[in-house]
Each structure stands twice: as structure tokens, then as C-alpha cells.
Amino acid sequence: MNRRQFILAGISIGVAGALLKPDNNGAPYSSYFNKVNESLKNQGTYLPSMLVDLDILDSNIKALSAQLNNNVDYRIVAKSLPSSELLGYVMEQSSTNKLMVFHQPFLTKIAHDYPNSDVLMGKPMPVKAAQRFYQLQPKDSQFESNKQLQWLIDSKERLEQYLQLAKTVQQQLQINIELDVGLHRGGLQQANELDALLTIIDDNPQHLVFSGFMGYDPHVVKIPSIIKSVEQAFAESQDIYQSFINRLYKVSPQYKKQNLCFNGAGSPTIALHLNKTVANELSAGSCLVKPVDFDIPSLSAFKPAAYIATPVLKKMQGTTIPATEFAKDIFPLWDSNMEQTFFIYGGKWLAKYESPQGLQGNGLFGTSTNQEIVNGSNRVNLNIDDHVFLRPTQSEFVFLQFGSLLTLRNNQITSQWPILQQG
């Protein structure tokens, strides 16, 4: 290599390095998080906390109401809002008593706390879990499960199990049948599969009552557009659903006169049902708090309402990695977002750093559920006892990692609501 080639190669490496060098993404708190941080420092627990902003939640409830036509009811998905008080708040604000429940301990708690609720199970429960619900029901319970609870059934075999359960507990069970409208996660796939289930139900009227269908369709907005458009996928899912309704009325025309539950949607697709849907009720929950995984075009009208807040325990200059102490001041030369190191209370949640802007994890140091390492540039104006804010990627699991929710109103802590317990 001659001198000219050497110089050109050096310039090329320098240009490439400059292009690859990370930008300084750091910034102080936004005005919103600055106010929330001060409220937490004055009134908080100084523990990792899940926050729900009721002002934003109210706005999201209004956005949801705007996406429901007059012919459908709204059913709240409880697993996405796993706090009894939070569910009660949303029920009141959205004027519905309908809940979709996915977990037996949650069902037991909800039946106790909201004895006037209307519950549809969101997944087929092992029959032993269903039996446990009846075993735990107090004899003086105001919740009338034979009228207010629909068990979801996905197959003839499971229906036969529930028939035996009904005989055992001497209760009439409402049966809602799961349909596979394109998600392929279970449920009936062909309309003629319905016949055998209807026969069992109609032959055992003292034990079983047919209450409707449930067809969950989140796949509609996730199919790559090169394969199928959202509009086409939605239309196909609706056609499948309608084929089951048609079959029902053909095989058992008496159901035309009954008020059945035809449940559909989910947060990702609820807006698609606005102008035309075969469903008479739609379910959603996550959109009301909008975690990261729900940053999708169909939910653009909704805003994030839930955040993790956790205190800063330690603050250091530079980034010191075990066995590479010599590079403490070298790392920041390459990545200015490593100019400071913070250790926070807890960590390793399914969440993304939200505020202050520009915080990042450190793959060299590793992760921790005890004291997570967080790097940031000198533009990040964080001190010990300030809070780092993260936005959960989902609500249903992440909420359960906290003992309670801290609610906000006007950027101030207003109350503490317990989280539903797993068991």
C-alpha cells in the first residue's frame, strides 16, 4: 500500500467511525416527568412503582368510546388492567359492567368485589380450575354464576368435561364457544364442528346453556401487507365469524330469538369494527394504558398512561466494567451516552426507558433484577433519589410485578390501588 492509499484508508476508517459513533441522546426530564418526579419525592414510597395517570386514562376511555358504534357493547379485558380498583374505575367511566377474565383467582376476586358484573372467560380454563372457582364461592355470594358467568369452550372434549362439572356442582353453566377466525390459536375452525357441541348443550338443558361466540382477531393487523391487507384480513375474519352464526341459526333456529353474546375484537383491531361488524360486543383493555407493544397505527388515538418509576440508588462518572477498569473514561469517548452510570432500585422489567431521555442499559455489565445499571450522557440531569421512568411493553404481566398502582391526577399522586394477586 502506497502513502496515498494509506491516507485514503485512514480517512475511510475515520469517516466510517464517525458515522457509526452513537449520537448523544441525553436530555433532562420533560416538564411532565419533572413534576411527577417531584411528586414521588414528596409523596412516593421510594420503591419501584407502577404509575397510572388517570387524566390520560380518561382521555383514552373517550377515544375508545368514539370507536364503538351504537350497536355494540364494550367488555373490559381484566388481564390488561389487573387491579380491582382500576377495573372498577374503568367500569364506571365507560358505563359497562362487562368484563373478560383470564385467571381463576382474578375471577374469584371479581365475583366478590363486583357481584353485579357480567363475566366472559377469555380463554378455556382447565375444568379443575373452573371447579375450584365453585369450591371457593361462598354460599351467600351475590354473584349468580349461572346468569353472570360464561365459560369459554374450544372443543367437544372440553364441553363434555364441563357437562360433568355442571352435574358435580349442581349448577347450570353458560357456555360460550371459541371460534378460530384466523388467529389459529384454538377454537372451532369449521362451522359444521358446531353441530356436535350444540347437540350436547341442547340435550342437557338443566346443566348447560348456549350463550354465544367469542372470536379474537389481533392477527388482522399483524399480517405482513405483502401477504394480505388489513382490510382483506379483517373481511375474511368477519366472514368466518358470520359462517358460524349462519350455521347456528340453521341448526338451531330457536337461538334467533335469544339475546346471545357475539364477542369480538381486542385492542389492536377494535377500530376496524366501527363501521361494520358481526359482533354485538367488543373487548379491549391494553389500549387504555397503551404499553409499548401497542404503538401501532390502529391505536394512534390513544396515549401512554402507565409508567414504571424507580429511584436512583447510585451515581458515578464514566462507565466502569469489571476487569476493564482502564476503559472507564474510554467508553464515553466512543459513546457519550456512557458518560454517567446510574444504578436503579430493581430492574430487568419488560419495559423501555422513557425519561430522562437517552438512558440505556449496558450489555457488557449485564442486567439485574436487584440493581440495574443504566447509562446516560452528561445531559441527563439525574441525581440520587430522583426517579427513572420506564414504559412497560405490556401491562398484563408487568403490572403483576408490583404490589400496587400509584394513581396520578394533575401529575400528583392521589391514591394507591392493590394489584390483583396471581393465586
Side-chain angles (χ1 to χ4, degrees):
M1 178 183 292
N2 59 35
R3 184 171 180 273
R4 182 173 180 273
Q5 291 173 323
F6 181 80
I7 292 172
L8 288 174
I11 291 172
S12 297
I13 292 171
V15 170
L19 291 174
L20 293 172
K21 181 178 171 64
D23 293 332
N24 187 328
N25 299 313
Y29 287 125
S30 65
S31 175
Y32 173 80
F33 285 107
N34 186 56
K35 293 175 182 176
V36 176
N37 179 54
E38 290 303 314
S39 179
L40 286 167
K41 290 172 76 172
N42 292 328
Q43 302 171 264
T45 61
Y46 277 93
L47 300 172
S49 302
M50 179 62 70
L51 312 179
V52 173
D53 190 312
L54 299 182
D55 296 314
I56 301 174
L57 179 61
D58 290 347
S59 174
N60 287 340
I61 291 172
K62 290 179 182 178
L64 178 61
S65 297
Q67 295 185 359
L68 299 173
N69 65 50
N70 295 329
N71 298 319
V72 301
D73 294 331
Y74 170 47
R75 188 176 291 275
I76 304 166
V77 177
K79 69 180 175 62
S80 304
L81 308 166
S83 162
S84 187
E85 284 80 357
L86 179 59
L87 288 171
Y89 182 85
V90 175
M91 290 167 72
E92 180 178 358
Q93 295 298 312
S94 57
S95 301
T96 185
N97 71 330
K98 294 188 173 186
L99 298 171
M100 180 176 281
V101 179
F102 292 75
H103 191 41
Q104 176 268 310
F106 291 5
L107 174 61
T108 298
K109 175 68 172 171
I110 286 167
H112 175 269
D113 291 354
Y114 301 106
N116 295 320
S117 60
D118 177 306
V119 176
L120 168 62
M121 297 306 293
K123 63 186 176 188
M125 299 298 294
V127 70
K128 290 294 185 180
Q131 184 174 359
R132 180 164 174 76
F133 165 75
Y134 289 105
Q135 291 171 342
L136 295 174
Q137 276 292 93
K139 293 181 179 179
D140 60 349
S141 173
Q142 298 177 44
F143 183 82
E144 300 182 75
S145 56
N146 63 319
K147 299 177 181 178
Q148 297 171 238
L149 172 61
Q150 301 177 63
W151 295 103
L152 192 66
I153 297 298
D154 60 332
S155 66
K156 178 175 178 286
E157 291 73 21
R158 196 181 302 275
L159 180 59
E160 290 171 341
Q161 289 181 331
Y162 273 70
L163 173 58
Q164 292 305 311
L165 172 64
K167 294 176 180 178
T168 299
V169 299
Q170 298 181 348
Q171 288 245 17
Q172 191 180 56
L173 308 187
Q174 290 195 87
I175 301 299
N176 190 293
I177 296 175
E178 182 180 18
L179 309 180
D180 180 359
V181 296
L183 180 59
H184 305 321
R185 196 176 65 180
L188 305 192
Q189 293 186 329
Q190 302 295 327
N192 59 11
E193 295 178 81
L194 183 62
D195 299 10
L197 277 71
L198 290 175
T199 297
I200 294 173
I201 295 171
D202 293 343
D203 286 350
N204 295 275
Q206 70 276 33
H207 299 300
L208 304 174
V209 177
F210 175 71
S211 63
F213 295 131
M214 190 276 278
Y216 183 44
D217 60 10
H219 65 285
V220 165
V221 298
K222 297 179 180 179
I223 297 174
S225 58
I226 194 172
I227 298 176
K228 193 174 294 183
S229 71
V230 170
E231 293 75 17
Q232 183 182 2
F234 178 67
E236 289 180 359
S237 72
Q238 289 283 285
D239 288 344
I240 294 170
Y241 205 133
Q242 185 64 59
S243 72
F244 280 92
I245 296 175
N246 293 343
R247 185 72 180 186
L248 170 69
Y249 291 157
K250 179 180 179 180
V251 174
S252 302
Q254 71 271 19
Y255 287 117
K256 287 184 179 180
K257 301 178 181 179
Q258 297 187 23
N259 184 24
L260 298 175
C261 165
F262 294 149
N263 179 272
S267 287
T269 59
I270 198 163
L272 302 177
H273 291 257
L274 177 59
N275 295 321
K276 185 179 180 181
T277 180
V278 302
N280 57 23
E281 66 166 51
L282 304 176
S283 297
S286 293
C287 62
L288 297 183
V289 290
K290 199 179 183 183
V292 173
D293 288 350
F294 291 81
D295 284 344
I296 56 178
S298 62
L299 295 176
S300 60
F302 298 84
K303 301 176 182 178
Y307 296 97
I308 298 169
T310 191
V312 175
L313 301 178
K314 304 165 186 176
K315 176 180 178 179
M316 307 170 189
Q317 280 302 122
T319 298
T320 303
I321 304 296
T324 60
E325 290 83 0
F326 64 89
K328 172 185 176 182
D329 299 318
I330 297 176
F331 289 125
L333 292 177
W334 167 250
D335 184 356
S336 55
N337 299 294
M338 299 175 74
E339 290 172 340
Q340 297 188 88
T341 296
F342 308 95
F343 286 90
I344 60 174
Y345 196 149
K348 209 173 181 178
W349 297 289
L350 293 174
K352 305 292 185 182
Y353 293 107
E354 181 72 18
S355 189
Q357 183 179 313
L359 295 178
Q360 61 187 35
N362 189 303
L364 294 174
F365 194 96
T367 57
S368 171
T369 57
N370 175 40
Q371 297 180 68
E372 186 83 76
I373 185 173
V374 184
N375 287 133
S377 79
N378 287 332
R379 295 179 185 174
V380 174
N381 189 21
L382 267 180
N383 291 301
I384 291 172
D385 292 344
D386 282 329
H387 292 78
V388 167
F389 295 93
L390 304 93
R391 189 175 161 213
T393 58
Q394 57 160 261
S395 58
E396 58 195 69
F397 173 72
V398 182
F399 275 41
L400 299 178
Q401 295 178 277
F402 299 83
S404 60
L405 303 174
L406 296 182
T407 63
L408 302 174
R409 182 74 76 184
N410 297 322
N411 307 330
Q412 301 294 312
I413 298 171
T414 56
S415 55
Q416 189 167 326
W417 292 346
I419 297 289
L420 289 171
Q421 298 301 304
Q422 284 274 54

